[in-house]
Amino acid sequence: MNYRDFVKSYPDFPKKDVLFWDFSYLLKDVAARDAAIQDMKTFLAGKKINKIAAVESKGFTLGAILAHELQVPLVLIRKPHLIPGNFHHATFIKEYGTGEYELKDDAIASDDRVAIVYDIMAGSGASKAAIDLVRQGKGLPVALVYVTELAYLGGRKDLAGCDIFSLVKVHKKDGHGKS
Protein backbone atom coordinates (compact mmCIF):
# COMPACT_ATOMS: atom_id res chain seq x y z
CA MET A 1 0.00 0.00 0.00
CA ASN A 2 1.25 3.49 -0.79
CA TYR A 3 0.70 5.19 2.57
CA ARG A 4 1.96 8.49 1.18
CA ASP A 5 -1.46 8.89 -0.40
CA PHE A 6 -2.89 9.19 3.12
CA VAL A 7 -0.43 11.75 4.53
CA LYS A 8 -0.92 15.37 3.45
CA SER A 9 1.36 18.35 4.05
CA TYR A 10 0.29 21.90 4.90
CA PRO A 11 2.79 24.77 4.65
CA ASP A 12 3.03 27.47 7.31
CA PHE A 13 1.18 25.55 10.01
CA PRO A 14 1.19 25.91 12.98
CA LYS A 15 3.44 28.84 12.14
CA LYS A 16 5.27 30.34 9.17
CA ASP A 17 8.01 28.18 7.60
CA VAL A 18 6.77 24.97 9.25
CA LEU A 19 5.44 22.19 7.04
CA PHE A 20 2.73 20.29 8.96
CA TRP A 21 2.12 16.61 8.18
CA ASP A 22 -1.44 15.34 8.65
CA PHE A 23 -2.04 11.59 8.79
CA SER A 24 -5.76 11.85 9.62
CA TYR A 25 -6.55 10.61 6.11
CA LEU A 26 -4.98 7.28 7.09
CA LEU A 27 -7.33 7.08 10.06
CA LYS A 28 -10.39 7.82 7.88
CA ASP A 29 -9.64 5.06 5.39
CA VAL A 30 -10.42 1.75 7.09
CA ALA A 31 -8.48 -0.40 4.61
CA ALA A 32 -5.38 1.82 4.79
CA ARG A 33 -5.56 2.02 8.58
CA ASP A 34 -5.91 -1.75 8.88
CA ALA A 35 -3.01 -2.31 6.49
CA ALA A 36 -0.87 0.16 8.46
CA ILE A 37 -1.60 -1.64 11.73
CA GLN A 38 -0.76 -4.98 10.12
CA ASP A 39 2.55 -3.60 8.81
CA MET A 40 3.37 -2.25 12.28
CA LYS A 41 2.49 -5.60 13.87
CA THR A 42 4.73 -7.39 11.35
CA PHE A 43 7.60 -5.05 12.23
CA LEU A 44 7.10 -5.71 15.96
CA ALA A 45 6.72 -9.49 15.59
CA GLY A 46 9.42 -11.36 17.47
CA LYS A 47 10.55 -8.30 19.45
CA LYS A 48 8.75 -9.52 22.60
CA ILE A 49 7.01 -6.18 23.14
CA ASN A 50 4.97 -6.19 26.34
CA LYS A 51 3.93 -2.53 26.40
CA ILE A 52 3.10 0.26 23.95
CA ALA A 53 4.00 3.85 24.89
CA ALA A 54 2.02 6.27 22.73
CA VAL A 55 3.12 9.90 22.42
CA GLU A 56 0.55 12.70 22.76
CA SER A 57 -1.60 13.24 21.09
CA LYS A 58 -1.54 11.85 17.60
CA GLY A 59 0.38 8.77 18.71
CA PHE A 60 -2.59 7.82 20.91
CA THR A 61 -4.75 6.86 17.93
CA LEU A 62 -2.57 4.21 16.33
CA GLY A 63 -0.88 3.34 19.63
CA ALA A 64 -4.22 2.38 21.15
CA ILE A 65 -5.19 0.25 18.16
CA LEU A 66 -1.78 -1.41 18.10
CA ALA A 67 -1.86 -2.14 21.87
CA HIS A 68 -5.31 -3.69 21.43
CA GLU A 69 -4.18 -5.80 18.48
CA LEU A 70 -1.06 -7.01 20.34
CA GLN A 71 -3.01 -7.44 23.59
CA VAL A 72 -0.47 -5.45 25.60
CA PRO A 73 -0.94 -2.49 27.95
CA LEU A 74 -0.94 1.05 26.60
CA VAL A 75 0.80 3.86 28.48
CA LEU A 76 0.55 7.51 27.54
CA ILE A 77 3.42 9.95 27.13
CA ARG A 78 1.73 13.27 27.78
CA LYS A 79 2.37 16.97 27.41
CA PRO A 80 3.08 18.78 30.70
CA HIS A 81 0.54 19.38 33.44
CA LEU A 82 -1.89 16.71 32.25
CA ILE A 83 -0.85 13.93 34.60
CA PRO A 84 -1.85 13.81 38.27
CA GLY A 85 0.44 12.24 40.84
CA ASN A 86 4.10 11.45 40.33
CA PHE A 87 5.69 11.36 36.91
CA HIS A 88 8.94 11.35 34.98
CA HIS A 89 9.77 14.44 32.92
CA ALA A 90 11.81 15.08 29.75
CA THR A 91 12.39 18.21 27.66
CA PHE A 92 13.49 18.40 24.03
CA ILE A 93 14.16 20.69 21.10
CA LYS A 94 11.80 20.49 18.14
CA GLU A 95 11.71 22.05 14.69
CA TYR A 96 9.98 25.21 15.88
CA GLY A 97 10.73 25.51 19.60
CA THR A 98 10.99 23.34 22.68
CA GLY A 99 8.74 20.64 24.04
CA GLU A 100 8.17 18.63 27.17
CA TYR A 101 6.71 15.22 27.90
CA GLU A 102 5.71 13.42 31.05
CA LEU A 103 4.99 9.80 31.91
CA LYS A 104 3.42 8.42 35.10
CA ASP A 105 6.25 7.12 37.28
CA ASP A 106 4.54 3.73 37.65
CA ALA A 107 3.69 3.29 33.95
CA ILE A 108 6.86 1.38 33.03
CA ALA A 109 8.47 -1.45 34.98
CA SER A 110 12.02 -2.75 34.83
CA ASP A 111 11.06 -5.82 32.77
CA ASP A 112 9.04 -3.90 30.19
CA ARG A 113 10.02 -4.12 26.52
CA VAL A 114 8.40 -1.03 25.04
CA ALA A 115 7.48 0.06 21.53
CA ILE A 116 7.10 3.84 21.27
CA VAL A 117 4.40 4.92 18.79
CA TYR A 118 4.07 8.42 17.37
CA ASP A 119 2.72 9.98 14.21
CA ILE A 120 5.94 11.59 13.00
CA MET A 121 9.70 11.56 13.33
CA ALA A 122 10.80 15.05 12.43
CA GLY A 123 14.10 15.64 14.19
CA SER A 124 15.15 13.26 16.94
CA GLY A 125 14.20 15.42 19.95
CA ALA A 126 10.71 14.09 20.69
CA SER A 127 11.87 10.51 20.15
CA LYS A 128 14.85 10.94 22.45
CA ALA A 129 12.56 12.39 25.13
CA ALA A 130 10.20 9.41 24.82
CA ILE A 131 13.15 7.00 25.04
CA ASP A 132 14.42 8.87 28.09
CA LEU A 133 11.02 8.56 29.80
CA VAL A 134 10.90 4.80 29.18
CA ARG A 135 14.41 4.46 30.57
CA GLN A 136 13.55 6.60 33.61
CA GLY A 137 10.96 3.92 34.36
CA LYS A 138 13.72 1.29 33.97
CA GLY A 139 12.09 -0.12 30.84
CA LEU A 140 13.81 -1.05 27.59
CA PRO A 141 12.78 0.95 24.50
CA VAL A 142 12.83 -1.82 21.89
CA ALA A 143 11.31 -0.08 18.85
CA LEU A 144 10.17 3.27 17.49
CA VAL A 145 7.11 3.22 15.22
CA TYR A 146 5.95 6.19 13.13
CA VAL A 147 3.50 6.97 10.39
CA THR A 148 5.73 9.61 8.77
CA GLU A 149 9.49 10.08 8.89
CA LEU A 150 10.93 13.37 7.68
CA ALA A 151 14.17 11.81 6.49
CA TYR A 152 15.52 15.18 5.31
CA LEU A 153 15.80 16.28 8.97
CA GLY A 154 18.22 13.45 9.81
CA GLY A 155 16.46 12.16 12.93
CA ARG A 156 17.32 8.54 12.16
CA LYS A 157 21.05 9.38 12.26
CA ASP A 158 20.64 10.82 15.76
CA LEU A 159 18.78 7.68 16.84
CA ALA A 160 21.49 5.24 15.72
CA GLY A 161 21.07 1.92 17.43
CA CYS A 162 17.28 2.23 17.65
CA ASP A 163 15.04 -0.16 15.74
CA ILE A 164 12.90 2.26 13.68
CA PHE A 165 9.87 1.69 11.48
CA SER A 166 7.97 4.29 9.46
CA LEU A 167 5.19 3.87 6.94
CA VAL A 168 6.19 6.97 4.92
CA LYS A 169 9.66 8.47 4.44
CA VAL A 170 9.78 12.02 3.08
CA HIS A 171 13.15 12.92 1.57
CA LYS A 172 12.52 16.55 0.54
CA LYS A 173 11.19 19.44 2.60
CA ASP A 174 8.73 20.45 -0.12
CA GLY A 175 6.71 17.37 0.71
CA HIS A 176 6.95 15.93 -2.77
CA GLY A 177 9.98 13.73 -2.20
CA LYS A 178 9.99 9.97 -2.57
CA SER A 179 8.12 7.99 0.06
Side-chain angles (χ1 to χ4, degrees):
M1 169 141 332
N2 183 5
Y3 296 111
R4 181 63 181 90
D5 293 340
F6 302 96
V7 179
K8 310 291 183 196
S9 60
Y10 294 88
D12 299 322
F13 185 84
K15 61 191 250 184
K16 188 167 175 30
D17 296 327
V18 172
L19 187 60
F20 182 85
W21 294 88
D22 180 7
F23 81 109
S24 64
Y25 302 94
L26 180 70
L27 299 173
K28 287 188 337 184
D29 188 290
V30 174
R33 186 185 66 220
D34 287 350
I37 292 295
Q38 289 307 312
D39 286 347
M40 291 173 181
K41 284 174 55 177
T42 298
F43 169 74
L44 294 172
K47 292 182 180 10
K48 300 179 183 170
I49 300 298
N50 67 342
K51 201 163 279 182
I52 298 290
V55 181
E56 182 154 342
S57 65
K58 294 171 273 196
F60 293 175
T61 54
L62 292 175
I65 297 168
L66 194 55
H68 174 78
E69 288 285 318
L70 296 173
Q71 289 296 288
V72 299
L74 172 70
V75 298
L76 305 178
I77 295 176
R78 305 290 315 264
K79 293 176 182 170
H81 314 297
L82 299 174
I83 299 175
N86 298 319
F87 52 86
H88 300 297
H89 180 85
T91 60
F92 62 97
I93 304 295
K94 55 186 180 177
E95 187 179 8
Y96 50 89
T98 59
E100 301 175 67
Y101 288 140
E102 296 173 345
L103 175 68
K104 291 282 280 181
D105 68 350
D106 61 356
I108 304 288
S110 61
D111 61 343
D112 284 339
R113 296 177 56 82
V114 181
I116 297 168
V117 179
Y118 196 27
D119 70 314
I120 192 163
M121 182 203 332
S124 60
S127 298
K128 285 180 175 180
I131 289 167
D132 181 43
L133 289 169
V134 168
R135 288 181 176 153
Q136 286 181 50
K138 307 297 185 226
L140 179 63
V142 174
L144 302 171
V145 177
Y146 306 94
V147 174
T148 307
E149 176 181 347
L150 304 183
Y152 62 86
L153 291 176
R156 188 176 284 259
K157 176 185 65 171
D158 291 340
L159 297 166
C162 294
D163 203 356
I164 300 170
F165 175 81
S166 55
L167 295 170
V168 175
K169 288 184 182 74
V170 180
H171 296 282
K172 289 181 172 180
K173 186 172 183 171
D174 65 11
H176 300 292
K178 282 183 12 184
S179 299

